[in-house]
C-alpha cells in the first residue's frame, strides 16, 4: 500500500502518451507522487539505472520499481484501490483491458507516425508522397472504430475507466497534430469534451503543453528527430504506409533506436 507521507517517484517525460496515462491515473486516485522529468538526453543514464529498457514511465515506490504503463496502472489499482479505474465485473474488465491494448498498440502507432510525418520528419511527405494519405485513411478507419465502440455510452466501458485514460493521450495527440474528429463521429467528439472536463485530464494536458513549448528550445532533448524509438507495431505500420525502404536505411545508418533487451 502506498501510504503517505512517502511519495512515489514517477520517471516521466510529459510528451509521452504512456506517461500521461499513468499521470492521469495518479491524479484520478489523488496519489501523492514526485515526478522526475527526464527531458534531456544527459539524463538517460539515470533512467537506465531504474529501467534497463530506458523507457518512461517508470514508477519507484520504496524498493519497488514498476515499468510499463499497464503494469504501473495495475500496481496503482492494487495499492490505491479507490477510486477504482477498473469495471466491477469480469466482462467489463476484459473489455477495458482489450481497449487498453488497442490504445497502447494501434492508437499509439497512428499517433507516432503522424508525429513523424507532421513534426519530426516532414521531408518524408515529399520523398514518400503516399505515406500521409495511407496514414490518414487508417486514422479515419480508427476513428470510425472508436466511435462505433463507444456507441451510446458516456465512457468506453460504461463507467469512467482505464480504457478512457489509455486512449485519451493518443487520440488527443492525433487531434492536435491535425487529424480532427470528423463531424460524422459526434459520439467520439463528445467523449473528448467529457475527458477534457475532468480536472485530472486538464492538469495533465497543461503539463504536456508546457513540455511541448519547452522542447522547442531544448538543446539536448530526450526525444530527438535523429533518434526515433521503433518497436513492433511501429515498424509494421511504417512498412504498411510505404516507409519500409526509408526505415531500413535508418536502421543501416544506426539512426533507428530500439529499446535495449529487458535483461
Ligand atoms: N510499453 C511501454 C512503452 C513506453 C514507451 O514507449 N516510452 C517511450 C516514450 S513514449 C520511451 O521512453 N522511449 C525512449 C526513447 O525514445 O529514448 C509502456 O506502456 O509504458
Amino acid at each position: 500500500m502506498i501510504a503517505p507521507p512517502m511519495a512515489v517517484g514517477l520517471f516521466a517525460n510529459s510528451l509521452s502518451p504512456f506517461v500521461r496515462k499513468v499521470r492521469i491515473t495518479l491524479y484520478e486516485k489523488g496519489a501523492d507522487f514526485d515526478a522526475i522529468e527526464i527531458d534531456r538526453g544527459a539524463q538517460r543514464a539515470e533512467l537506465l539505472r531504474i529501467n534497463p529498457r530506458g523507457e518512461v514511465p517508470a514508477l519507484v515506490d520504496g524498493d519497488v520499481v514498476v515499468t510499463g504503463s499497464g503494469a504501473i496502472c495495475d500496481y496503482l489499482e492494487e495499492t490505491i484501490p479507490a477510486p477504482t479505474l477498473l469495471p466491477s465485473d469480469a466482462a467489463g474488465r476484459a473489455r477495458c483491458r482489450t481497449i487498453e491494448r488497442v490504445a497502447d498498440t494501434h492508437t499509439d502507432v497512428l499517433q507516432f507516425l503522424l508525429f513523424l510525418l507532421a513534426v519530426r520528419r516532414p521531408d518524408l511527405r515529399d520523398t514518400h508522397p503516399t505515406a500521409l494519405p495511407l496514414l490518414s485513411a487508417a486514422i479515419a478507419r480508427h476513428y470510425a472504430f472508436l466511435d462505433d465502440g463507444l456507441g451510446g455510452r458516456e465512457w468506453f466501458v460504461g463507467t469512467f475507466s482505464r480504457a478512457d485514460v489509455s486512449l485519451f493521450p493518443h487520440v488527443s495527440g492525433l487531434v492536435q497534430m491535425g487529424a480532427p474528429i470528423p463531424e460524422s463521429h459526434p459520439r467520439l467528439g463528445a467523449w473528448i469534451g467529457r475527458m477534457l472536463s475532468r480536472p485530472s485530464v486538464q492538469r495533465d494536458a497543461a503539463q504536456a503543453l508546457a513540455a511541448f513549448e519547452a522542447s522547442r528550445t531544448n538543446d539536448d532533448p530526450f526525444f530527438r528527430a535523429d533518434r526515433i524509438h521503433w518497436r513492433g507495431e511501429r515498424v509494421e505500420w511504417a512498412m504498411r504506409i510505404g516507409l519500409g525502404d526509408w526505415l531500413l536505411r535508418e536502421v543501416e545508418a544506426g539512426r533507428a533506436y530500439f529499446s535495449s533487451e529487458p535483461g
Side-chain angles (χ1 to χ4, degrees):
M1 179 79 169
I2 297 169
M6 190 181 72
V8 170
L10 179 68
F11 284 73
N13 179 297
S14 292
L15 297 177
S16 161
F18 297 97
V19 165
R20 297 186 59 194
K21 163 181 158 186
V22 169
R23 197 165 53 192
I24 293 171
T25 301
L26 285 160
Y27 289 152
E28 285 286 338
K29 287 182 173 290
D32 188 18
F33 72 99
D34 293 324
I36 301 116
E37 187 77 7
I38 304 288
D39 57 3
R40 299 183 66 78
Q43 294 167 290
R44 240 171 241 292
E46 194 184 339
L47 177 63
L48 279 163
R49 270 200 300 278
I50 298 297
N51 181 3
R53 283 179 66 79
E55 295 174 357
V56 287
L59 186 99
V60 180
D61 179 20
D63 293 340
V64 179
V65 176
V66 193
T67 60
S69 61
I72 295 173
C73 289
D74 277 337
Y75 181 79
L76 293 174
E77 193 60 37
E78 288 184 31
T79 52
I80 315 173
T84 181
L85 290 182
L86 286 177
S88 56
D89 61 308
R93 284 194 295 278
R95 178 170 150 78
C96 183
R97 291 189 168 112
T98 302
I99 294 172
E100 179 180 14
R101 172 95 185 127
V102 169
D104 289 357
T105 54
H106 193 59
T107 328
D108 171 64
V109 150
L110 300 177
Q111 191 261 156
F112 167 83
L113 287 172
L114 190 59
F115 189 54
L116 180 75
L117 294 175
V119 180
R120 288 242 178 111
R121 296 295 306 266
D123 54 298
L124 289 170
R125 298 200 303 246
D126 297 326
T127 56
H128 295 72
T130 57
L132 189 57
L134 286 170
L135 179 62
S136 300
I139 293 170
R141 289 195 298 276
H142 193 51
Y143 281 165
F145 165 80
L146 292 177
D147 187 77
D148 197 43
L150 197 53
R153 286 186 290 267
E154 282 205 347
W155 308 109
F156 272 87
V157 193
T159 53
F160 177 76
S161 77
R162 199 201 290 181
D164 304 288
V165 177
S166 305
L167 280 169
F168 183 76
H170 300 290
V171 175
S172 61
L174 282 169
V175 172
Q176 278 157 6
M177 285 184 294
I181 310 289
E183 282 177 15
S184 51
H185 299 321
R187 299 176 295 195
L188 189 57
W191 170 79
I192 296 222
R194 279 192 290 280
M195 287 299 289
L196 285 170
S197 71
R198 298 186 79 88
S200 62
V201 173
Q202 290 167 4
R203 203 170 157 193
D204 167 75
Q207 287 174 275
L209 186 63
F212 181 69
E213 291 303 330
S215 73
R216 291 171 188 265
T217 51
N218 187 340
D219 58 5
D220 176 26
F222 182 66
F223 298 126
R224 294 197 334 237
D226 60 347
R227 187 187 176 285
I228 295 172
H229 185 185
W230 294 93
R231 59 163 168 263
E233 290 84 2
R234 293 178 174 184
V235 173
E236 176 193 331
W237 274 85
M239 314 269 273
R240 288 171 75 153
I241 65 168
L243 293 176
D245 63 323
W246 167 76
L247 179 53
L248 192 57
R249 286 197 300 279
E250 290 291 292
V251 173
E252 282 165 357
R255 284 190 296 265
Y257 170 69
F258 297 102
S259 293
S260 45
E261 294 165 42

